[in-house]
Amino acid sequence: MVIINNKNVYTYLGGRVMFHWDLIQFVASVPGLLLAITIHEYAHALMAVKMGDMTPKFAGRLTLNPFAHLSVTGTIFLLLLQFGWAKGVPVDGRNFKNYYKGEILVSLAGPFANFLFAFIALAIDIFLMSRVSFSMPALEMVLQLIVLYNINFGFFNLLPIPPLDGSHILWCILPGQYRRKYFFILEKYALLIFLVILATPILGYILIPAQQGILHFYMFLLTPLL
């Protein structure tokens, strides 16, 4: 799973800037990063086991321990360069009862878990803001960053670029004659695509509108809490 922790990406909740780079926010972002990584990878592992592949369980990845999912190199890159990755969950699709169904569900499980957890964190944040009489700015920042990171992880990993989850989904739904041609091109230029994403604001043009759309949808669903 690829992780984006981009200091230029920001969004708003209730009119407050939710993401800007400073030391306090960096510390507050740690729970969001760990939760987003752990939930994402655990969901992949759990769905793979549900679909009949015990490989993640044997590899020790069917756990909510974040250290089982962190990549040392990916974490260092994340902290220094604002772009990193976690260890991918080992999955053997040959063990699935239905290969294509298994691949699609396993790939969707990680982003879906992120979106669900973002919704829960947002619901808790709104409930505390509207029902608790005293201010808790530190907890509020942590919850907002949990929302942001989980939406970022979920959406970014759905992009159809190898080795992201979206590429596995596209592989399964594309007709055979287009599948190999598409993936030959994408795998050849995947590194270049990621470099362009890092060096230009193109990701923000995609990610920020997606964030806002998802947040507005969540806010609509959570209107009774307001």
Side-chain angles (χ1 to χ4, degrees), residues 62-164:
L62 192 63
T63 176
L64 289 172
N65 177 2
F67 296 104
H69 304 294
L70 291 176
S71 162
V72 175
T73 305
T75 302
I76 293 173
F77 269 68
L78 178 64
L79 296 176
L80 297 180
L81 302 178
Q82 312 307 312
F83 183 90
W85 56 90
K87 291 190 293 187
V89 174
V91 174
D92 188 346
R94 294 173 298 180
N95 295 321
F96 296 151
K97 297 173 184 176
N98 182 313
Y99 174 80
Y100 291 108
K101 179 181 177 180
E103 283 287 331
I104 291 173
L105 290 179
V106 170
S107 299
L108 285 174
F112 177 80
N114 287 133
F115 291 141
L116 178 60
F117 199 77
F119 179 80
I120 293 171
L122 180 58
I124 294 172
D125 186 34
I126 291 174
F127 179 82
L128 291 176
M129 286 191 297
S130 60
R131 305 298 172 87
V132 177
S133 58
F134 53 90
S135 176
M136 294 181 289
L139 178 58
E140 195 172 308
M141 177 180 284
V142 169
L143 287 170
Q144 290 177 354
L145 288 171
I146 289 173
V147 173
L148 176 62
Y149 279 122
N150 276 278
I151 290 177
N152 280 357
F153 288 9
F155 181 80
F156 185 77
N157 277 277
L158 285 175
L159 296 178
I161 307 169
L164 302 180

